[in-house]
Amino acid sequence: MRAVSSIGDGEHLRICSQGYTCCTSEMEENLANRSRAELETALLDSGRALQATLAAQLRGFDGHFQHLLNDSERALQDTFPSAFGELYTQSARAFRDLYTELRLYYRGADLQLEDTLAEFWARLLERLFRQPHPQRLLPDDYLDCLGKQAEALRPFGDAPRELRLRATRAFVAARTFVQGLGVAGDVVRKVAQVPLGPECSRAVMKLVYCAHCLGVPSARPCPDYCRNVFKGCLANQADLDAEWRNLLDSMVLITDKFWGPSGAESVIGNVHVWLAEAISALQDNRDTLTTKVIQSCGNPQVNPPGPGPEEKRHRGKLVLQEKPPTGTLERLVSEAKAQLRDAQDFWISLPGTLCSEKMAMSAASDDRCWNGMAKGRYLPEVMGDGLANQINNPEVEVDITKPDMTIRQQIMQLKIMTNRLRSAYNGEDSDFQDASDDGSGSGSGDGCPEDICGRRINRKSSSSSSRTPLTHALPGLSEREGQKTSAAAHCPQACTALLLLSLVLSAARPRWR
């Protein structure tokens, strides 16, 4: 019977160095496939912890911001009916619609917040002007005249202007920060799924299993050798570093906008306070407004039935105090800042992380570690980070003229999100670019999971639905001959072990932690 594996000169090997070997071609191929799968799994594992951290941050901030808005609406519903009577109840729909649109805007809907607020005040003024005398006919030209008079008379006082200025800054900062967390997690997930190239697979096989084929399975990879392999394999990923840092820096910076009079904590949870101030101002101004409007716009026509029942006016002032911060947002921001700063060097630290945490790497580069060809010291220098620095990588042949397009797309997504965060820091609501997978194919979407942020809704639907190659350090001739003798003496035992390894390939993981 033909032996499954035997000592040979290794001419049949395609990846491991050709010398005394215990590996058949089939075993080498199986080990190569296994090493590739193990690296892909290790890359996914390395990203999962960061993804989980970002997802937890997103849930925490999103839940808090929505809780603030819900509490504000609840406070409005609890206090406005008794304070303002029909002045509120007959316009309750307008208030509900306002909170609905504020939620849609926060979740990423295609809305202009200033327009939303302007439409709310116009709608509310019309209702409140009509409310004392429902029989009045108010055609469009009369409503236009009413709007012009309102601009001059400011029936709601300073509340509309103050709410517009503060709400725009607060909501833009809150929703853009949450979207940034989503985009960051999305980038990590998509980049972790980028397949490894064939040159990387060969290099990882040499790193992880070729020592077995040469009968020295106890030799652990030299540290610098391991780093060069992974710097070559993950060259494209390292190019994310600059834009990744820009994004996280911008996210840390924008949290400064969560505090103060125009901060998310003060504004989102106290929208009802500004609305109460506005209604109270209208109570004081309505008679003057009505007189001025009639003088300028004329007396509106009335329906034949004549005057309706006289309205019971509520003249009580509703003075609401802003809800003090609970400390929840402060805790969330403190945790997020620390975690985002810890994640800044994620992409360029991956090679070192894989070597130290996932590989049974040698503690030092000495004559006993595996250098890819034999036990011996590893002399080549460690390459820099990124694609351009791999032109002289001695372990992985990298074509620096062909960057990975998926990763380039994710770099663009990081740039887009960073620009939005910078605009939001200045209080500007830049248009959000839709880069969903089924759109332009340019990578990340809005980074906000559908179960949290819902679908993006446009304006119409929201309204209607309310490197020179270097060589390895090789032993001298006499030392190499000694190694042959040693290999011949020990290979049968190693071959037996290797054969067993190949038989249980799917269950054993001898090199990866």
Side-chain angles (χ1 to χ4, degrees), residues 65 168-178 254 257-258 264 421 424:
F65 291 139
T168 299
R169 290 181 175 273
F171 277 89
V172 167
R175 83 167 188 170
T176 309
F177 179 81
V178 171
I254 202 172
K257 300 300 180 179
F258 292 169
L421 284 161

Side-chain angles (χ1 to χ4, degrees), residues 62 165-166 245 279 282 303 339 360 401 456 501 512:
D62 177 72
L165 294 175
R166 300 190 187 199
R245 290 175 182 272
I279 302 301
L282 182 66
N303 282 322
Q339 291 167 345
T401 66
R456 185 176 291 109
L501 173 64
W512 298 80

Side-chain angles (χ1 to χ4, degrees), residues 232 235 383-384 386-394 396-401 467-470:
M383 298 296 100
L387 190 62
N389 287 316
Q390 306 311 309
I391 188 170
N392 292 322
N393 193 309
V396 186
E397 185 177 341
V398 180
D399 187 348
I400 65 171
T401 66
R467 150 155 60 125
T468 306
L470 301 176

Side-chain angles (χ1 to χ4, degrees), residues 180 183-184 187 236-251 340 343-348 407-422:
V183 168
V187 168
N236 282 282
Q237 286 83 340
D239 281 348
L240 287 154
D241 179 65
E243 293 304 328
W244 177 259
R245 290 175 182 272
N246 286 339
L247 175 68
L248 301 194
D249 284 342
S250 297
M251 292 179 64
L340 292 175
Q344 282 194 326
D345 63 347
F346 176 76
W347 299 109
I348 60 173
I407 292 178
R408 297 295 136 174
Q409 289 165 359
Q410 297 310 304
I411 291 174
M412 181 57 66
Q413 292 306 305
L414 294 173
K415 289 182 178 180
I416 292 171
M417 193 67 240
T418 298
N419 287 335
R420 297 198 70 245
L421 284 161
R422 290 171 176 173

Side-chain angles (χ1 to χ4, degrees), residues 409 413 433-444:
Q409 289 165 359
Q413 292 306 305
Q433 176 171 336
D434 186 357
S436 59
D437 290 338
D438 30 337
S440 65
S442 58
S444 300

